Amino acid sequence: MTHDEVTVAAAGGARWEDVSAVMGTRGDPASCWCQWFKLRRSEWDAASRQEKSALLHEQLDETDRGVLAYVGGAPVGWAAVEPFSAYPALTRSPITRRRDGDPADPWAATCFVVRLEFRGRGIARALLAGAIGHARDHGAEVLEGYPVDPQVRPSLSSAERYHGTVGLFRAAGFEEVRRPSATRAIMRLRLR
C-alpha cells in the first residue's frame, strides 16, 4: 500500500481511538461528535463536548454504524451512516422530514469529517463508497444523503459542507429526489 492509498473500515467501539483522532480537539467535529442529529435541541445545548464524545463512544460500542478512512494506517476521516430512525432530529427537520412516497427507514449518510491536512485527496469519496458498502452489508435497501450544493452557493465554508456535496453524491450514483432549499438536496441510492 502506498502512503496515498485510502482504505475504509467499519468504526465499531474497538476503533474508538481512531474516531477520537479524526474528531480532534478543536473545531466543529470536536464539539459535535455526530450528535447533532441524535439529540433534541435542548439536550444538544445542555451537553458538553465530553458528554457528546461519551455518547458517540457508547453508540459505537453498541454498533458499528460509521466508517473510518485510513491513509498509510493513520485515521484521516469519518462518515456517520446508519438507519434514518437512529437520527431523531432528521424526522423533525423541514429538510429531511419524511414525505409521502419516501422510504420509511432508509439508511442515511449524515456527516463527513476529514482531517484538515488530508482534505482535497479523495477522502470524502472513499468514505462515501465505504458508507455505501457498509449500509449494503447491513441489509439496507436505500441509502440517502442530505448534501449541500456549492454550485449554488460557492461561499459555503468547509464547516457547512459536513453533509457532503451534491457533486460527491452524484458521482457515487445517487439521484436527486428533491430540493428542500436552494442549497440542500435529498439524494438517494437504491442498494437492492
Side-chain angles (χ1 to χ4, degrees):
M1 172 168 51
T2 67
H3 73 289
D4 286 327
E5 203 169 307
V6 181
T7 59
V8 178
R15 296 183 185 267
W16 178 247
E17 293 304 318
D18 294 345
V19 173
S20 294
V22 171
M23 297 299 183
T25 59
R26 298 184 320 217
D28 292 332
S31 64
C32 181
W33 292 91
C34 280
Q35 298 305 299
W36 178 251
F37 297 115
K38 298 251 184 188
L39 301 175
R40 290 193 172 102
R41 183 61 192 257
S42 59
E43 295 170 326
W44 167 264
D45 290 341
S48 69
R49 288 177 178 217
Q50 292 78 18
E51 289 167 327
K52 292 171 192 169
S53 169
L55 284 169
L56 181 59
H57 193 178
E58 180 181 308
Q59 292 156 6
L60 290 176
D61 278 344
E62 293 172 6
T63 183
D64 61 351
R65 304 287 170 78
V67 293
L68 283 161
Y70 295 86
V71 171
V76 300
W78 151 270
V81 57
E82 59 187 309
F84 186 92
S85 58
Y87 298 110
L90 292 180
T91 62
R92 295 186 300 272
S93 168
I95 300 286
T96 54
R97 184 177 299 134
R98 301 285 82 190
R99 292 187 181 178
D100 290 342
D102 283 347
D105 195 18
W107 275 52
T110 58
C111 305
F112 294 84
V113 177
V114 176
R115 288 177 35 200
L116 185 62
E117 64 271 27
F118 289 92
R119 292 183 185 161
R121 293 173 58 182
I123 306 300
R125 279 191 308 277
L127 285 166
L128 184 53
I132 292 167
H134 190 69
R136 185 179 283 124
D137 290 348
H138 283 78
E141 294 182 11
V142 175
L143 179 60
E144 285 187 348
Y146 316 108
V148 296
D149 192 344
Q151 296 295 322
V152 173
R153 194 172 124 216
S155 63
L156 285 166
S157 70
S158 60
E160 293 172 296
R161 295 174 190 231
Y162 76 93
H163 303 285
T165 64
V166 168
L168 173 72
F169 280 84
R170 189 173 289 130
F174 285 72
E175 294 182 14
E176 185 174 320
V177 295
R178 70 177 164 271
R179 280 279 174 146
S181 75
T183 59
R184 294 291 299 280
I186 306 294
M187 300 191 75
R188 198 172 286 151
L189 179 68
R190 290 230 164 260
L191 302 176
R192 301 190 188 282

